[in-house]
Amino acid sequence: MSATSRTLVSYLRVSTDRQGKSGLGLEAQRKAIEAFAASNGFELEAEFVEVETGKGADALDRRPQLAAALAVARKAKCAVVVAKLDRLSRDVAFVAGLMAQRVPFLVAELGEGVDPFVLHLYAALAEKERAMISARTKAALAGKVGTGVLGNRTNLAEASAKGASANRDAARAFAENVRPVIEAIRASGVTSNRGIAAELNARRVETVRGGTWSAVQVGRILAAA
């Protein structure tokens, strides 16, 4: 390792024993991190692989490999790198807690220049997306529960109406979460809706439906402010 090289500690995570034993997802994460390190002049100090056995693992005492990665990075005075933000968590509070560990985090997918504030925003968007999916599913099923008859036209109509309402609420919540990202882009000097859309796409921020941004969509978010 050269005296001038920059180092990183790599953290990879899969969610089940089956994924861990098969390597599903790990190799893709490893390749993304290695490509990021190579293109940005980093050398990997160590690699830690976490295999979770179920939900509710958003705590350091249930993430021993993440705790170990933090300890090594703190001692080496370097950052921890992950392939995607969701390899850390989709939970905003957990991500905020990690930021308080005084160890910087880099996300290969987002690039080197993303500061902790923006990571919080991305985590908030991911958390909201998960809540929206849950809300849509519950709303779609709400009209069928307790009737004993699936496919009833009345049930489907009620479920559709409730689902539409939930979608509107979720869209408003999504707009509230993404607006600070747009404002940060505007503050950096990008003021046209087309330019903002291009920047959102470059940062891999997805729309409420998981697609890419257009100037029209940016305008709708701003008009709803």
Side-chain angles (χ1 to χ4, degrees):
M1 185 181 300
S2 68
T4 58
S5 66
R6 300 189 295 166
T7 61
L8 292 173
V9 170
S10 173
Y11 177 71
L12 292 71
R13 181 173 69 94
V14 289
S15 300
T16 66
D17 283 324
R18 182 180 177 183
Q19 286 182 324
K21 291 174 183 176
S22 69
L24 182 63
L26 288 177
E27 193 57 36
Q29 292 177 53
R30 186 175 289 116
K31 287 182 179 179
I33 289 172
E34 289 175 349
F36 169 80
S39 62
N40 289 279
F42 287 104
E43 291 188 23
L44 297 175
E45 173 86 6
E47 178 184 280
F48 294 86
V49 178
E50 198 91 68
V51 179
E52 295 174 3
T53 56
K55 296 182 179 179
D58 278 343
L60 277 178
D61 59 357
R62 292 192 293 273
R63 297 265 203 102
Q65 293 303 306
L66 178 55
L70 287 168
V72 170
R74 193 177 293 111
K75 184 176 180 179
K77 296 181 179 179
C78 68
V80 172
V81 61
V82 294
K84 299 179 66 176
L85 184 58
D86 65 6
R87 295 304 82 200
L88 286 178
S89 177
R90 286 190 177 93
D91 183 83
V92 179
F94 185 69
V95 172
L98 291 178
M99 298 300 109
Q101 295 289 321
R102 299 193 304 277
V103 173
F105 283 88
L106 294 178
V107 180
E109 182 182 50
L110 302 179
E112 185 180 353
V114 179
D115 60 34
F117 171 70
V118 175
L119 287 182
H120 286 157
L121 293 176
Y122 281 123
L125 290 169
E127 186 178 78
K128 180 56 63 179
E129 179 185 23
R130 183 174 57 183
M132 286 163 52
I133 292 171
S134 177
R136 284 198 295 265
T137 301
K138 290 177 181 178
L141 293 174
K144 304 176 187 178
V145 174
T147 65
V149 179
L150 293 178
N152 179 279
R153 291 181 180 273
T154 302
N155 291 340
L156 291 175
E158 291 176 357
S160 178
K162 291 178 180 178
S165 177
N167 285 343
R168 286 193 295 271
D169 291 342
R172 282 192 291 269
F174 177 85
E176 291 174 2
N177 278 284
V178 78
R179 197 171 293 118
V181 181
I182 292 176
E183 293 300 336
I185 293 172
R186 294 176 75 182
S188 72
V190 180
T191 57
S192 72
N193 290 355
R194 186 182 298 276
I196 292 170
E199 184 64 21
L200 287 169
N201 292 330
R203 296 187 184 190
R204 295 183 173 86
V205 178
E206 294 182 344
T207 65
V208 67
R209 296 184 181 276
T212 57
W213 289 87
S214 68
V216 172
Q217 290 166 311
V218 171
R220 287 172 181 165
I221 295 292
L222 295 175

